[in-house]
């Protein structure tokens, strides 16, 4: 459990820091690096970084959008199309970021195993 | 197994990365687009207004005050700083539109949108858009003053672009996954060319040629007369033209080229409804003794709006009004001394020449009994994710051979060349720069003199009490009939011989009647010595406007507002009474009779809560189509007769053979058509009602303002409650209408009122994106804040300082 918490926190911190410098794929770097050093087992390899980034992107997006009454989020939710619901758009945003982080974490895990052997 | 896991996950990671980083069709790159740190979430904000910005090349500080509408009031110490700031601010609030419009102008959309825009791009290149812009740029560069200002504007735009990070790009860039490029002075020329196309790019010479061949001269003249039987021209009929003393070119005897055209499809024409109203009353006719001027250009209703409103001030001049992103200065507006506004002059400034090449190499063409050399212009059309296309376009002394065997034609040894005033080039930017600085009638006239295209009816009023209207543009002085039809490119007598001297352009200053006006109608009556024919002039708005001003002695601001929002449907009023007396109603069902009774009671005002305008619209659309079914059935490119003449035919030639419906064995006459289309209308409206409810005019017309990207529903506004239709003074049709309504009373300083269907911000995430639309639809105006002192910040919500970069 502790390992999961560490991985979660490390992923989150790396993602937040890198988001200031790197494009969208900062979450892939975060997932990869945290898995490299704090690797988990089985499904947790994917789901812990997924969860960390899911929450990070959702919160970040919510913070930006809330300050502007969701004007643009509602329009983008029409465009994509998600029925005009900014809540669904937030979930999709978190989901996309999460997938990217989770998949790169699996790669990180594989690389860490290579190093250990 | 475990040896496969690593490469497998590596591949998976790469797939996810690529999948989220790339655009698929119209789907944006989802990772990039949705990431809160660089995607669209970063656009979820209002403008940042309270900041100091450093701008390269500024000489002094520039102060920008924003009022509650986000209209910037710019105070600079000199013109260079002023236009630099205009460029900067336009980019700050309208960057994507600013750039996209010039891509559209120059035929570069395939770079952004890919192969789907290729046909459009080729067409624009073949229209000579880039060629014309280069010629215009050359003329602008010859004037050091204009050059220095368009360079300042360029630097201002680029100062803004250069400090952007990808996360700051307007949302459309993120959606389409591309980045802004540096602004160049050529882009200002392209934007002006775009306006020239929009307003002086409509003609139907090839269609007229086909119609003449099909119907013969007598019938053709009945359907397409040079003048209608009613005419209330821009420059009043009473004008004495005896001061014009130039020799008119003679019509060559062998002028008839009764060819029909071998192409079946012509290039896209600008919107038929592009037009405008403007008028001014003299002090004598004004409630306050000060002249009052009004302007409302009718264009496609788009978001971001075509206009961006600004106040532009230096210690020498101070002007206010609507700007066009990409062009400098105020285009329709006023300063402390004068006001000005434009409507389209709609004159024929495009002619087509049939070109005969010596052989398939097309290196020589026939002219004046000799073989003359052609030139080639190779257009490089970049296409996103595809190889660049090079289109070789042959040029003759007339202009580009638009149609040839590579483009909509089939003959390798002939083609059709386009001659267009738009290709000649001209420093049309100067006109607006000078109007911004103008102080009186002479300054206005000086500003106009060099103006070439698109020809406009420039209305004018001054605090000194003058009103005027000049129809200004560069007009070829044609022999009677020249250029109405295809011309012979080998015959030197068919060349444009000369241009109408500027001082002989039709105009009116302080006329006896106390007002000037224009609404895209015929510029003159037949007594004007130069050849002018009906090339699609509007025939309704002008009469309503002129009748309004003839009806009483004094006019106030409310009268002006009422007139701009006037929904009287003169067109309907000229046909419906005839229908009511001639149509045989004996076969109508009870329901149909009900609909007929509704429209019979109509007062001809196309108001939103009325049913009759919807009945009329549906009925007229069907009627017009069925009258001219002979045109649709023909495989040649043809133009159906204009509305006014259609109604004229229905009323005066009801038995004409064209009234017959080709697809039926019976011989129909006008009254049969009335009945047939009425029954169809009743059916259609019943269906509409079943689906949408009452077909009152507001709901039935469903006016919308569409985003520039094919009206992306998410960024557009639909179902606006606005009355009127194309032919009413309030020319609001479905997606077209008054794009900027302005009224100026020439007090000192002038008092202005204005509104437009959009908002100052180009960002769909801003509350200033579309905040004027509902007020515009309701016919309301903003009291324009014309600041006289930059210290007086009473109604200012934010201020920004632009400072020279160290």
């Amino acid at each position: 459990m502790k390992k999961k918490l560490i991985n979660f926190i490390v992923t989150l911190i790396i993602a937040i820091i890198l988001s200031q410098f790197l494009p969208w794929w900062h979450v892939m770097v975060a997932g990869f690096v945290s898995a490299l050093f704090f690797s988990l087992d089985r499904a947790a390899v994917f789901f812990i970084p997924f969860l960390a980034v899911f929450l990070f992107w959702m919160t970040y997006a919510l913070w930006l959008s809330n300050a502007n009454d969701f004007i643009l989020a509602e329009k983008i939710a029409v465009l994509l199309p998600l029925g005009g619901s900014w809540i669904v758009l937030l979930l999709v945003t978190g989901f996309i970021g999460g997938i990217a982080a989770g998949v790169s974490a699996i790669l990180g895990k594989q690389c860490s195993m290579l190093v250990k052997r | 197994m475990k040896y496969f896991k690593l490469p497998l996950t590596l591949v998976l990671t790469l797939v996810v990365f690529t999948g989220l980083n790339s655009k698929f069709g119209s789907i944006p790159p989802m990772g990039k687009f949705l990431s809160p740190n660089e995607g669209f979430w970063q656009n979820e904000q209002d403008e940042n207004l309270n900041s100091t910005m450093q701008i390269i090349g500024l000489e002094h500080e520039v102060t920008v005050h924003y009022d509650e509408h986000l209209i910037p009031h710019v105070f600079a110490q000199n013109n260079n700083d002023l236009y630099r700031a205009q460029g900067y601010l336009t980019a700050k609030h309208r960057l994507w539109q600013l750039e996209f419009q010039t891509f559209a102008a120059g035929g570069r959309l395939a770079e952004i949108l890919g192969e789907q825009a290729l046909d459009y791009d080729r067409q624009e290149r073949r229209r000579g858009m880039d060629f014309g812009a280069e010629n215009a740029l050359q003329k602008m560069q010859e004037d050091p003053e204009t050059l220095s200002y368009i360079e300042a504007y360029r630097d201002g735009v680029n100062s803004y672009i250069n400090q952007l990070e990808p996360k700051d790009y307007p949302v459309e860039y993120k959606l389409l996954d591309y980045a802004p490029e540096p602004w160049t002075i050529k882009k200002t020329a392209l934007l002006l060319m775009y306006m020239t196309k929009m307003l002086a790019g409509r003609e139907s010479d090839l269609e007229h040629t086909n119609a003449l061949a099909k119907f013969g001269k007598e019938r053709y003249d009945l359907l397409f007369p040079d003048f209608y039987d009613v005419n209330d021209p821009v420059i009043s009929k009473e004008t004495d033209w005896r001061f014009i003393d130039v020799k008119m070119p003679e019509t060559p005897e062998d002028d008839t080229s009764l060819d029909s055209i071998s192409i079946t499809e012509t290039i896209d024409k600008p919107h038929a409804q592009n037009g405008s109203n403007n008028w001014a009353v003299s002090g004598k006719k004004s409630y306050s003794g000060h002249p009052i001027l009004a302007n409302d250009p009718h264009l496609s209703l788009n978001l971001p709006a075509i206009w961006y409103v600004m106040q532009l001030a230096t210690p020498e001049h101070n002007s206010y009004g609507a700007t066009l992103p990409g062009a400098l200065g105020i285009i329709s507006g006023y300063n402390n001394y004068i006001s000005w506004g434009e409507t389209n002059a709609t004159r024929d400034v495009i002619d087509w020449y049939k070109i005969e090449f010596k052989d398939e190499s097309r290196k020589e063409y026939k002219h004046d009994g000799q073989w003359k050399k052609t030139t080639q212009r190779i257009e490089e059309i970049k296409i996103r994710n595809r190889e660049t296309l090079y289109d070789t376009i042959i040029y003759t002394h007339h202009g580009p051979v638009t149609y040839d065997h590579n483009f909509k034609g089939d003959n390798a040894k002939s083609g059709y060349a386009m001659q267009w005033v738009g290709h000649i080039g001209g420093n049309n930017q100067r006109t607006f720069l000078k109007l911004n600085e103008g102080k009186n009638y002479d300054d206005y006239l000086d500003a106009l003199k060099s103006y070439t295209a698109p020809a406009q009816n420039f209305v004018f009023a001054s605090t000194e009490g003058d009103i005027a209207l000049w129809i200004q543009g560069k007009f070829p002085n044609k022999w009677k009939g020249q250029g109405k039809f295809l011309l012979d490119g080998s015959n030197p007598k068919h060349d444009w011989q000369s241009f109408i001297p500027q001082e002989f352009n039709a105009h009116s200053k302080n006329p006896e009647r106390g007002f000037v006006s224009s609404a895209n109608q015929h510029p003159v009556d037949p007594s004007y010595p130069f050849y002018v024919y009906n090339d699609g002039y509007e025939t309704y708005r002008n009469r309503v406007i002129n009748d309004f001003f003839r009806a009483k002695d004094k006019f106030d601001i409310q009268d002006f507002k009422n007139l701009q929002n006037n929904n009287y449907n003169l067109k309907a009023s000229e046909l419906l009474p005839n229908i009511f007396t001639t149509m045989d109603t004996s076969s109508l069902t009870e329901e149909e009779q009900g609909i007929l009774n509704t429209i019979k009671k109509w007062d001809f005002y196309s108001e939103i809560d009325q049913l009759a305008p919807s009945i009329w619209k549906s009925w007229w659309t069907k009627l017009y189509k069925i009258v001219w079914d002979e045109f649709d059935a023909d495989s040649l490119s043809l133009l159906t007769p204009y509305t006014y003449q259609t109604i004229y035919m229905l009323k005066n030639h009801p038995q004409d053979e064209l009234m017959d419906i080709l697809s039926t064995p019976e011989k129909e006459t006008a009254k049969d058509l009335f009945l047939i289309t009425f029954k169809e209308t009743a059916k259609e409206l019943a269906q509409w009602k079943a689906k949408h409810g009452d077909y009152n005019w507001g709901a039935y017309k469903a006016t919308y303002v569409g985003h520039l990207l094919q009206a992306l529903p998410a960024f557009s506004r639909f179902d606006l409650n606005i009355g009127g239709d194309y032919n009413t003074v309030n020319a609001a049709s479905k997606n077209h209408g008054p794009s900027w309504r302005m009224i100026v009373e020439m007090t000192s300083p002038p008092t202005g009122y204005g509104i437009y269907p959009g908002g100052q911000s180009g960002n769909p995430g801003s509350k200033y994106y579309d905040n004027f639309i509902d007020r515009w639809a309701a016919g309301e105006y903003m009291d324009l804040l014309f600041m006289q002192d930059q210290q007086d910040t009473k109604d200012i919500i934010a201020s920004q300082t632009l400072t020279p970069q160290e």
Side-chain angles (χ1 to χ4, degrees), chain B residues 151-250:
Chain B
E151 285 178 344
Y153 187 93
R154 171 198 66 196
D155 296 344
V157 173
N158 287 335
S159 307
Y160 181 73
I161 293 177
N162 291 338
Q163 45 99 13
L164 292 183
E165 292 177 42
K167 73 179 173 68
D168 306 317
Y169 293 165
V171 68
E172 290 91 342
Y173 288 103
K174 299 179 184 180
L175 206 54
L176 298 168
D177 195 26
Y178 74 112
E181 66 176 23
W183 184 262
T184 60
I185 53 173
K186 186 179 162 190
K187 289 183 180 234
T188 290
L190 276 167
L191 188 273
L192 294 171
M193 198 65 197
Y194 192 52
M195 297 310 291
T196 302
K197 176 187 88 168
M198 199 184 288
L199 298 170
R202 197 179 163 80
E203 48 71 40
S204 305
D205 298 4
L206 303 182
E207 289 83 350
H208 280 300
T209 307
N210 286 341
L212 181 62
K214 182 180 167 78
F215 295 108
K217 185 159 181 359
E218 196 184 329
R219 295 283 289 160
Y220 172 86
D221 285 343
L222 175 65
L223 298 173
F224 298 96
D226 281 355
F227 287 84
Y228 295 130
D229 63 337
V230 298
N231 186 19
D232 193 347
V234 176
I235 303 303
S236 108
K237 286 180 179 173
E238 286 84 53
T239 309
D240 182 355
W241 300 109
R242 273 177 303 185
F243 67 96
I244 295 177
D245 57 354
V246 286
K247 201 169 156 275
M248 298 300 153
E250 271 174 47

Side-chain angles (χ1 to χ4, degrees), chain B residues 85-95 98 153 308 310 325-326:
Chain B
Q86 187 183 2
Y88 179 85
L89 292 167
T90 305
K92 180 173 163 64
H93 298 284
R94 296 288 187 85
L95 177 61
L98 175 71
Y153 187 93
Y308 178 63
M310 296 183 95

Side-chain angles (χ1 to χ4, degrees), chain B residues 529-794:
Chain B
F530 298 99
Y531 176 62
V532 180
Y533 71 96
N534 177 19
D535 194 22
Y537 294 119
E538 219 277 342
T539 23
Y540 299 100
R541 287 183 273 117
N542 63 315
R543 288 185 283 151
V544 175
I545 293 167
N546 288 349
D547 289 348
F548 184 83
F549 285 114
R550 287 185 192 112
K552 54 178 195 168
D553 290 336
K554 300 274 182 198
F555 294 85
D556 62 18
I557 301 298
Q558 193 55 47
D559 288 323
F560 270 52
K561 290 182 178 175
N562 292 348
L563 183 55
Q564 281 190 335
N565 289 282
N566 182 304
N567 293 328
Y568 184 69
N569 199 324
L570 180 60
K571 177 168 94 181
S573 80
E574 291 187 340
L575 179 60
L576 282 174
N578 176 278
I579 293 184
F580 297 150
T581 53
T582 57
M583 188 170 79
D584 175 11
T585 58
S586 58
S587 67
L588 294 186
T589 65
E590 201 175 315
E591 203 184 345
E592 288 164 346
Q593 191 62 53
I595 293 175
L596 184 64
N597 288 341
T598 306
I599 194 166
K600 271 186 164 173
K601 279 188 228 132
W602 187 27
D603 60 2
F604 303 117
Y605 280 86
S606 293
E607 307 294 351
I608 47 176
D609 53 354
Q610 296 274 317
L611 298 175
S614 311
I615 303 170
W616 161 251
K617 172 78 178 179
S618 171
W619 195 357
W620 170 250
T621 306
K622 292 176 177 54
L623 184 58
Y624 181 82
K625 200 169 161 52
I626 210 164
V627 174
W628 306 126
D629 61 328
E630 290 81 359
F631 288 70
D632 281 344
D634 203 303
S635 66
L636 289 170
S637 285
L638 289 169
L639 173 81
T640 48
Y642 300 115
T643 300
Y644 183 84
Q645 202 61 12
T646 305
I647 292 178
Y648 176 88
M649 291 296 290
L650 286 167
K651 283 161 68 175
N652 297 291
H653 299 269
Q655 316 281 346
D656 192 277
E657 60 186 89
L658 283 169
M659 298 297 159
D660 182 39
I661 304 173
L662 287 182
S663 59
T664 60
E666 295 87 18
K667 264 272 177 266
E668 287 84 1
T669 63
K671 68 184 175 62
D672 300 321
L673 300 186
F674 298 153
L675 185 64
I676 292 168
T677 51
F678 179 72
K679 283 179 171 283
E680 285 171 9
T681 296
K683 206 171 124 196
E684 189 218 280
L685 291 174
Q687 283 165 354
W688 201 93
K689 193 174 175 178
K691 212 168 150 192
H692 308 280
D694 267 345
Y695 47 84
N696 58 62
W697 181 229
Y700 184 79
K701 180 174 58 152
T703 294
Y704 70 96
V705 183
H707 186 265
L708 277 176
L709 279 179
Q710 292 155 347
L712 274 180
F715 296 165
S716 306
R717 287 283 307 274
F718 297 94
D719 297 320
L720 303 171
N721 247 332
I722 181 166
D725 202 353
Y726 168 53
N727 297 97
T728 64
V729 179
N730 178 25
S733 53
K734 192 173 178 64
N735 181 224
H736 201 276
S739 61
W740 159 242
R741 290 194 189 114
M742 176 183 76
I743 297 169
V744 192
E745 182 178 355
M746 296 314 289
T747 47
S748 291
T751 314
Y753 310 85
I755 192 124
Y756 68 91
Q760 288 287 93
S761 172
N763 175 14
S766 165
K767 63 173 180 278
Y768 298 107
Y769 175 67
D770 55 2
N771 57 326
F772 299 153
I773 291 182
D774 292 324
R775 295 184 63 191
W776 166 83
E780 293 171 19
Y781 292 76
M782 307 186 283
D783 293 340
L784 303 178
L785 173 67
F786 189 28
M787 292 178 68
Q788 293 300 305
D789 178 1
Q790 64 165 308
Q791 312 302 337
D792 178 18
T793 56
K794 189 159 57 76

Side-chain angles (χ1 to χ4, degrees), chain B residues 106-121:
Chain B
R108 291 181 60 196
L109 289 184
E111 283 178 48
I112 303 170
L113 304 173
E115 210 178 341
Q116 54 167 318
L118 181 59
D119 285 346
Y120 171 85
D121 284 355

Side-chain angles (χ1 to χ4, degrees), chain A residues 19 22-26 28 57 60-61 64-65 68 70-73 75-76 79 89 93 103 106-107 110 114, chain B residues 5-6 9-10 13 17 20-21 31-32 34-38 40-45 175 714 764-765 769:
Chain A
S19 71
L22 291 182
W24 73 274
W25 41 268
H26 61 274
M28 295 190 81
W57 271 24
Y60 191 176
L64 288 170
S65 207
N68 196 44
F70 305 96
I71 295 178
L72 188 58
K75 291 178 180 174
I76 298 296
L79 187 122
L89 183 62
T93 297
V103 168
I106 299 175
L107 181 66
Q110 293 298 319
L114 204 66
Chain B
K5 267 192 179 167
L6 181 62
T9 46
L10 183 64
T13 310
F17 173 79
L20 296 179
N21 200 48
K32 245 186 197 181
L34 292 179
S35 88
N37 73 324
E38 69 161 341
F40 84 88
W41 295 102
Q42 286 286 331
N43 302 82
E44 180 77 281
Q45 55 176 306
L175 206 54
Y769 175 67

